[in-house]
Amino acid sequence: MSNFLVSLSHEPASAAWGASSKLSFVEGGAVLHLPDASLHLRQIQQSTRKIASLGIQNIEFLGRWDAEQQWAFVTSYCGAGFQGNITWCKNSDENDLSTRFAAMQFTRQLVNETPEELSPVSLATEAAAWIKSLSPEHVTTTMVTGEELLKAGWHGIYEVGRGSSRPPVLLELDYNPTGNPDAVVDFALVGKGITFDSGGYSIKSSEGMLDMKCDMGGAATVTGALGLAIMQGLKKRTKLFLCCAENLISDHAYKLGDIITYKNGVTVEIVNTDAEGRLVLADGLMAATASGARKIIDAATLTGAAVMAVGKEFNAIFSLDEEFQASFLSSAQKVHEPHWRLPLMTWHQDQCASPFADTANSRAVKGGGGGGASNAAGFLSRFVGNDGRGWVHIDLAAAYNRNGTDIMPNGATAIGIRTIADQLIG
């Protein structure tokens, strides 16, 4: 099948298409009309979605596109089920674009898998196998699974996942290109890997549960970011912690009123079994802290409150470290990924009070009440060391779109992998 040729023009479309049209078609392809030589990434994405609606598979860039313009097109074009080929411009860094594409497609395809295909163990296994394939001599992995989690003290992951017949797991992956087993860990990445979220006994509506296969988007995002950084030449020791479980209802599932005692001694009353992401991330953040990592980044599809605050075009960012947060947002701006800061103060730790434990895992009101995303981040901050310095939390509001938008295809987006990779390498 021949390629569909797409080119850029700074001339207006012909009168037949309408003088204000941003897109026209020619034999064998299409032309995107930009007013000048600026990037105009959103306009490119909007035109891309119109081309994508035609069902064309093989795309070839023709003429003078820069790398970011091609990337904007591809991120908007390649939705769930895309099986075509992309041919990059000859005047661009084809290797870098191909590397980005491989990481994006891995991330998206992992999130888009059905929950039946992707159990907690298979999520951890697929993530570890992909990273190891990129640098086998520098990667070691360990998995703590099922009842072993209790013995190791990882009570959050165990409690959330014990209602499923498919066991929960904590994956620890060590990428150490230094050759020194005592080398400092520069970064630790922590990902929420809830392969399906029914809400537990705080059960979701059918509509709210429909796309909960995407609730492992944090695990996919940090894995995709690490893989991208490795392919781009990462030289720093980095650890990856994936907190994987299915949140299901059974006679063995955790319940409202239960109290979890974490490894650091913090006690947590369960007031909402649908606020499970923060419970598994707490274990991952403690493991990351124990690794001695200089910096920790966690990513999770954590709260609906973040979506309400920033919409589905941005990820929300939280940190108690102003310098690290500013650096992270600078990386996001550099790679054109939309992230936005939301408030986090130390007093957010105390916004989910419990009369029976140090804290509850949420507020016992619909949606967790006002400031829910900040309160969730405050909960997480109890489980990182150094008073939160060197830690950034990403609430992945922009991780997934069921039906697509005017700029994004259906399914997973992988927004965040380039920003995190830039932090790892920078």
Side-chain angles (χ1 to χ4, degrees), residues 162-226:
R162 69 185 173 102
S164 171
S165 62
R166 302 199 288 185
V169 59
L170 172 63
L171 167 70
E172 178 180 345
L173 182 148
D174 185 0
Y175 169 71
N176 187 2
T178 69
N180 176 8
D182 299 319
V184 68
V185 178
D186 285 285
F187 276 90
L189 305 178
V190 182
K192 172 186 172 183
I194 302 297
T195 55
F196 186 75
D197 182 18
S198 71
Y201 279 104
S202 304
I203 192 168
K204 295 178 181 287
S205 66
S206 180
E207 180 184 37
M209 206 186 299
L210 178 59
D211 290 308
M212 281 300 101
K213 66 181 182 181
C214 81
D215 214 20
M216 37 62 65
T221 298
V222 292
T223 303
L226 176 57

Side-chain angles (χ1 to χ4, degrees), residues 231-379:
M231 289 187 284
Q232 291 176 332
L234 178 64
K235 303 301 182 186
K236 301 173 184 174
R237 187 178 187 183
T238 303
K239 287 200 171 188
L240 177 72
F241 298 90
L242 301 188
C243 311
C244 308
E246 285 183 318
N247 186 23
L248 301 181
I249 296 171
S250 75
D251 61 359
H252 192 52
Y254 78 131
K255 298 169 289 293
L256 284 78
D258 285 350
I259 292 177
I260 300 175
T261 301
Y262 278 90
K263 208 173 209 182
N264 63 354
V266 173
T267 56
V268 178
E269 182 188 10
I270 306 305
V271 301
N272 185 347
T273 59
D274 196 23
E276 86 298 330
R278 64 201 72 180
L279 298 175
V280 301
L281 282 176
D283 282 338
L285 289 170
M286 286 189 293
T289 299
S291 76
R294 289 172 172 168
K295 291 184 178 180
I296 299 171
I297 299 172
D298 80 74
T301 50
L302 201 64
T303 68
V307 178
M308 294 301 292
V310 300
K312 286 199 166 187
E313 292 187 353
F314 285 83
N315 289 330
I317 301 301
F318 303 83
S319 185
L320 295 170
D321 185 329
E322 293 288 336
E323 184 178 348
F324 189 19
Q325 183 169 245
S327 174
F328 187 91
L329 290 171
S330 178
S331 288
Q333 184 176 31
K334 172 184 172 183
V335 301
H336 306 285
E337 285 189 330
H339 293 78
W340 199 262
R341 176 182 181 177
L342 288 182
L344 176 61
M345 306 297 289
T346 54
W347 52 260
H348 279 108
Q349 291 184 356
D350 303 315
Q351 293 303 291
C352 298
S354 166
F356 301 105
D358 295 325
T359 184
N361 71 322
S362 185
R363 290 177 176 172
V365 296
K366 185 175 181 179
S374 293
N375 295 339
F379 177 93

Side-chain angles (χ1 to χ4, degrees), residues 12-130:
S14 67
W17 295 99
S20 62
S21 177
K22 307 301 183 186
L23 178 66
S24 65
F25 291 88
V26 296
E27 184 176 353
V31 181
L32 280 66
H33 298 273
L34 305 181
D36 52 52
S38 301
L39 289 175
H40 296 289
L41 300 183
R42 188 177 182 86
Q43 181 183 317
I44 289 171
Q45 291 177 306
Q46 289 171 330
S47 295
T48 299
R49 294 305 304 137
K50 295 176 182 177
I51 298 172
S53 68
L54 303 175
I56 296 161
Q57 287 292 306
N58 299 323
I59 296 294
E60 181 175 347
F61 293 103
L62 191 65
R64 299 193 62 80
W65 295 71
D66 68 24
E68 293 305 316
Q69 289 171 330
Q70 291 175 86
W71 188 245
F73 186 103
V74 165
T75 57
S76 295
Y77 198 82
C78 301
F82 176 77
Q83 298 293 328
N85 296 311
I86 303 294
T87 303
W88 310 103
C89 269
K90 300 304 180 186
N91 62 336
S92 61
D93 188 340
E94 298 175 59
N95 288 335
D96 179 57
L97 285 166
S98 295
T99 294
R100 294 187 211 172
F101 187 72
M104 181 189 77
Q105 287 297 87
F106 171 83
T107 305
R108 288 184 172 185
Q109 289 167 6
L110 195 61
V111 176
N112 290 335
E113 285 191 36
T114 71
E116 181 60 29
E117 292 172 329
L118 198 68
S119 69
V121 169
S122 64
L123 168 59
T125 301
E126 285 190 37
W130 184 63

